[in-house]
């Protein structure tokens, strides 16, 4: 469940990156006409949300490593149940 949450957070962050690209491009295009300020503000807010989602995904992966959840391939290949907690 935690792995799916982290993956979903990353996919939403990727979608927000596309939104940020489009909104930023439109903000630059409309800046010449004087209407780009609201889009520029939206780009900034989307970037903050994107960063939070990436941080949540990292926390989820860290929890999976601490729990030694071997159902996740990355954890299974790079972790061991006998490792001390500090090295996980």
């Amino acid at each position: 469940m935690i792995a799916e949450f982290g993956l979903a957070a990353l996919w939403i962050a990727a979608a927000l990156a596309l939104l940020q690209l489009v909104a930023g491009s439109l903000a630059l295009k409309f800046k010449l006409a004087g209407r780009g300020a609201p889009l520029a503000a939206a780009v900034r807010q989307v970037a903050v949300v994107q960063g939070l989602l990436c941080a949540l995904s990292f926390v989820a992966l860290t929890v999976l490593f601490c729990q030694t959840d071997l159902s996740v391939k990355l954890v299974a290949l790079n972790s061991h149940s006998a490792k001390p907690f500090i090295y996980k």
Side-chain angles (χ1 to χ4, degrees), residues 22-83:
V22 171
S25 299
L26 289 175
L28 287 175
K29 181 179 178 182
F30 291 138
K31 186 177 183 180
L32 297 175
R35 299 179 312 210
L39 281 174
V43 168
R44 198 170 296 119
Q45 292 171 355
V46 168
V48 170
V49 173
Q50 183 182 3
L52 290 174
L53 286 172
C54 288
L56 284 174
S57 179
F58 177 74
V59 168
L61 185 61
T62 304
V63 168
L64 290 172
F65 268 100
C66 289
Q67 292 178 351
T68 313
D69 186 359
L70 298 177
S71 66
V72 179
K73 187 176 181 180
L74 181 70
V75 177
L77 292 175
N78 296 303
S79 185
H80 192 276
S81 60
K83 269 187 182 179

